[in-house]
Amino acid sequence: MENRKAGSTLPWEEFRKMLPEKIQGDEEVVRRIWEEVDYLPWLFIWHVLVSF
């Protein structure tokens, strides 16, 4: 099992490889939004575990 930072289900580097073509525009903005969205499933699972 590889080391991933907490709260990451699919790191940006892996997700970036799955995109079909070059990103038009600011790739840093896309990366930031991906990391914010990628955090949500981890947060949900953590809350379920802690709440029950």
Side-chain angles (χ1 to χ4, degrees):
M1 180 176 208
E2 66 185 65
N3 292 330
R4 293 184 180 177
K5 68 179 187 174
S8 176
T9 54
L10 184 63
W12 168 250
E13 295 77 24
E14 290 181 31
F15 180 70
R16 179 67 181 99
K17 293 175 188 175
M18 295 190 298
L19 296 176
E21 55 188 62
K22 185 176 183 207
I23 296 174
Q24 296 179 2
D26 191 359
E27 186 170 336
E28 184 62 26
V29 172
V30 178
R31 182 196 61 79
R32 182 180 51 83
I33 291 171
W34 168 253
E35 289 177 349
E36 290 173 3
V37 169
D38 184 53
Y39 180 74
L40 295 176
W42 183 85
L43 182 65
F44 174 75
I45 291 170
W46 181 252
H47 277 288
V48 168
L49 290 173
V50 173
S51 297
F52 299 103

